[in-house]
mmCIF file of all heavy atoms in Angstrom:
data_model
loop_
_atom_site.group_PDB
_atom_site.id
_atom_site.type_symbol
_atom_site.label_atom_id
_atom_site.label_comp_id
_atom_site.label_asym_id
_atom_site.label_seq_id
_atom_site.Cartn_x
_atom_site.Cartn_y
_atom_site.Cartn_z
ATOM 1 N N SER A 35 -20.772 2.157 -64.186
ATOM 2 C CA SER A 35 -20.748 3.579 -63.815
ATOM 3 C C SER A 35 -19.832 4.396 -64.700
ATOM 4 O O SER A 35 -20.199 5.466 -65.103
ATOM 5 C CB SER A 35 -20.284 3.695 -62.323
ATOM 6 O OG SER A 35 -21.188 3.086 -61.502
ATOM 7 N N ALA A 38 -21.093 4.773 -68.296
ATOM 8 C CA ALA A 38 -22.262 5.651 -68.340
ATOM 9 C C ALA A 38 -21.889 7.086 -68.789
ATOM 10 O O ALA A 38 -22.597 7.722 -69.520
ATOM 11 C CB ALA A 38 -23.008 5.681 -66.970
ATOM 12 N N TYR A 56 -31.460 19.141 -88.085
ATOM 13 C CA TYR A 56 -32.854 19.261 -88.513
ATOM 14 C C TYR A 56 -33.211 20.778 -88.594
ATOM 15 O O TYR A 56 -33.828 21.194 -89.594
ATOM 16 C CB TYR A 56 -33.760 18.556 -87.526
ATOM 17 C CG TYR A 56 -35.249 18.742 -87.827
ATOM 18 C CD1 TYR A 56 -35.816 18.143 -88.914
ATOM 19 C CD2 TYR A 56 -36.007 19.585 -87.063
ATOM 20 C CE1 TYR A 56 -37.182 18.297 -89.257
ATOM 21 C CE2 TYR A 56 -37.360 19.738 -87.334
ATOM 22 C CZ TYR A 56 -37.922 19.163 -88.431
ATOM 23 O OH TYR A 56 -39.237 19.342 -88.717
ATOM 24 N N LYS A 58 -31.332 23.429 -88.922
ATOM 25 C CA LYS A 58 -30.558 24.195 -89.930
ATOM 26 C C LYS A 58 -30.626 23.594 -91.339
ATOM 27 O O LYS A 58 -30.023 24.047 -92.254
ATOM 28 C CB LYS A 58 -29.073 24.227 -89.517
ATOM 29 C CG LYS A 58 -28.885 25.133 -88.261
ATOM 30 C CD LYS A 58 -27.384 25.382 -88.049
ATOM 31 C CE LYS A 58 -27.272 26.369 -86.915
ATOM 32 N NZ LYS A 58 -25.893 26.862 -86.767
ATOM 33 N N PRO A 64 -22.287 10.932 -93.663
ATOM 34 C CA PRO A 64 -21.809 9.745 -92.947
ATOM 35 C C PRO A 64 -21.315 10.065 -91.523
ATOM 36 O O PRO A 64 -21.445 9.242 -90.664
ATOM 37 C CB PRO A 64 -20.617 9.259 -93.817
ATOM 38 C CG PRO A 64 -20.955 9.688 -95.197
ATOM 39 C CD PRO A 64 -21.585 11.060 -94.988
ATOM 40 N N LEU A 74 -25.974 4.877 -80.163
ATOM 41 C CA LEU A 74 -26.775 3.683 -80.132
ATOM 42 C C LEU A 74 -25.950 2.523 -79.545
ATOM 43 O O LEU A 74 -26.430 1.836 -78.660
ATOM 44 C CB LEU A 74 -27.321 3.325 -81.551
ATOM 45 C CG LEU A 74 -28.084 2.017 -81.649
ATOM 46 C CD1 LEU A 74 -29.489 2.282 -81.188
ATOM 47 C CD2 LEU A 74 -28.054 1.525 -83.100
ATOM 48 N N GLN A 80 -24.223 -0.309 -72.557
ATOM 49 C CA GLN A 80 -24.629 0.061 -71.144
ATOM 50 C C GLN A 80 -25.788 -0.796 -70.693
ATOM 51 O O GLN A 80 -25.834 -1.213 -69.540
ATOM 52 C CB GLN A 80 -24.973 1.528 -71.161
ATOM 53 C CG GLN A 80 -25.286 2.087 -69.760
ATOM 54 C CD GLN A 80 -24.123 2.160 -68.817
ATOM 55 O OE1 GLN A 80 -23.010 1.797 -69.187
ATOM 56 N NE2 GLN A 80 -24.328 2.734 -67.673
ATOM 57 N N LEU A 81 -26.706 -1.081 -71.563
ATOM 58 C CA LEU A 81 -27.870 -1.918 -71.251
ATOM 59 C C LEU A 81 -27.401 -3.335 -70.905
ATOM 60 O O LEU A 81 -27.835 -3.897 -69.909
ATOM 61 C CB LEU A 81 -28.884 -2.002 -72.428
ATOM 62 C CG LEU A 81 -30.016 -2.972 -72.217
ATOM 63 C CD1 LEU A 81 -30.894 -2.562 -71.105
ATOM 64 C CD2 LEU A 81 -30.804 -3.076 -73.532
ATOM 65 N N GLU A 96 -32.567 -9.144 -53.407
ATOM 66 C CA GLU A 96 -33.335 -8.855 -52.184
ATOM 67 C C GLU A 96 -34.337 -7.743 -52.315
ATOM 68 O O GLU A 96 -35.065 -7.401 -51.431
ATOM 69 C CB GLU A 96 -32.322 -8.420 -51.104
ATOM 70 C CG GLU A 96 -31.271 -9.469 -50.771
ATOM 71 C CD GLU A 96 -30.137 -8.940 -49.961
ATOM 72 O OE1 GLU A 96 -30.198 -7.785 -49.585
ATOM 73 O OE2 GLU A 96 -29.199 -9.677 -49.666
ATOM 74 N N MET A 101 -39.932 -2.337 -51.559
ATOM 75 C CA MET A 101 -40.268 -1.243 -52.431
ATOM 76 C C MET A 101 -40.658 0.050 -51.659
ATOM 77 O O MET A 101 -40.868 1.101 -52.262
ATOM 78 C CB MET A 101 -41.393 -1.647 -53.421
ATOM 79 C CG MET A 101 -41.022 -2.637 -54.454
ATOM 80 S SD MET A 101 -39.720 -1.940 -55.477
ATOM 81 C CE MET A 101 -38.760 -3.432 -55.807
ATOM 82 N N HIS A 102 -40.779 -0.044 -50.395
ATOM 83 C CA HIS A 102 -41.104 1.194 -49.646
ATOM 84 C C HIS A 102 -39.862 2.062 -49.460
ATOM 85 O O HIS A 102 -40.038 3.233 -49.149
ATOM 86 C CB HIS A 102 -41.677 0.820 -48.285
ATOM 87 C CG HIS A 102 -40.699 0.040 -47.466
ATOM 88 N ND1 HIS A 102 -40.564 -1.313 -47.616
ATOM 89 C CD2 HIS A 102 -39.876 0.446 -46.443
ATOM 90 C CE1 HIS A 102 -39.671 -1.741 -46.686
ATOM 91 N NE2 HIS A 102 -39.206 -0.705 -46.001
ATOM 92 N N LEU A 106 -33.778 2.212 -52.763
ATOM 93 C CA LEU A 106 -33.753 0.796 -53.298
ATOM 94 C C LEU A 106 -34.678 0.636 -54.484
ATOM 95 O O LEU A 106 -34.341 -0.050 -55.436
ATOM 96 C CB LEU A 106 -34.121 -0.154 -52.176
ATOM 97 C CG LEU A 106 -33.961 -1.626 -52.437
ATOM 98 C CD1 LEU A 106 -32.545 -1.903 -52.862
ATOM 99 C CD2 LEU A 106 -34.325 -2.459 -51.240
ATOM 100 N N LEU A 115 -35.977 -0.217 -65.503
ATOM 101 C CA LEU A 115 -37.191 -0.188 -66.355
ATOM 102 C C LEU A 115 -37.196 1.081 -67.248
ATOM 103 O O LEU A 115 -37.421 0.938 -68.479
ATOM 104 C CB LEU A 115 -38.446 -0.283 -65.487
ATOM 105 C CG LEU A 115 -39.716 -0.277 -66.247
ATOM 106 C CD1 LEU A 115 -39.916 -1.490 -67.087
ATOM 107 C CD2 LEU A 115 -40.913 -0.212 -65.251
ATOM 108 N N ASN A 117 -34.696 2.970 -68.141
ATOM 109 C CA ASN A 117 -33.569 2.942 -69.074
ATOM 110 C C ASN A 117 -33.807 1.993 -70.178
ATOM 111 O O ASN A 117 -33.379 2.215 -71.346
ATOM 112 C CB ASN A 117 -32.281 2.751 -68.360
ATOM 113 C CG ASN A 117 -31.853 3.937 -67.543
ATOM 114 O OD1 ASN A 117 -32.194 5.056 -67.869
ATOM 115 N ND2 ASN A 117 -31.083 3.698 -66.496
ATOM 116 N N THR A 125 -33.471 3.112 -80.097
ATOM 117 C CA THR A 125 -33.427 2.147 -81.210
ATOM 118 C C THR A 125 -34.517 2.353 -82.230
ATOM 119 O O THR A 125 -34.255 2.246 -83.452
ATOM 120 C CB THR A 125 -33.654 0.700 -80.546
ATOM 121 O OG1 THR A 125 -32.623 0.504 -79.559
ATOM 122 C CG2 THR A 125 -33.491 -0.361 -81.641
ATOM 123 N N TRP A 128 -33.223 5.178 -84.400
ATOM 124 C CA TRP A 128 -32.233 4.686 -85.349
ATOM 125 C C TRP A 128 -32.870 3.919 -86.500
ATOM 126 O O TRP A 128 -32.551 4.101 -87.691
ATOM 127 C CB TRP A 128 -31.229 3.805 -84.620
ATOM 128 C CG TRP A 128 -30.241 3.146 -85.565
ATOM 129 C CD1 TRP A 128 -30.236 1.873 -86.051
ATOM 130 C CD2 TRP A 128 -29.145 3.776 -86.156
ATOM 131 N NE1 TRP A 128 -29.239 1.687 -86.905
ATOM 132 C CE2 TRP A 128 -28.522 2.867 -86.986
ATOM 133 C CE3 TRP A 128 -28.550 5.074 -86.092
ATOM 134 C CZ2 TRP A 128 -27.361 3.168 -87.720
ATOM 135 C CZ3 TRP A 128 -27.466 5.361 -86.794
ATOM 136 C CH2 TRP A 128 -26.831 4.397 -87.647
ATOM 137 N N ILE A 149 -33.493 12.507 -77.905
ATOM 138 C CA ILE A 149 -33.674 13.428 -76.793
ATOM 139 C C ILE A 149 -34.583 12.844 -75.769
ATOM 140 O O ILE A 149 -34.307 12.963 -74.566
ATOM 141 C CB ILE A 149 -34.179 14.805 -77.346
ATOM 142 C CG1 ILE A 149 -33.117 15.504 -78.170
ATOM 143 C CG2 ILE A 149 -34.672 15.693 -76.159
ATOM 144 C CD1 ILE A 149 -33.523 16.783 -78.822
#
Side-chain angles (χ1 to χ4, degrees):
S35 295
Y56 177 72
K58 292 192 174 189
L74 175 80
Q80 184 71 355
L81 171 66
E96 302 169 2
M101 290 299 146
H102 61 278
L106 187 57
L115 182 62
N117 286 335
T125 305
W128 175 259
I149 289 174

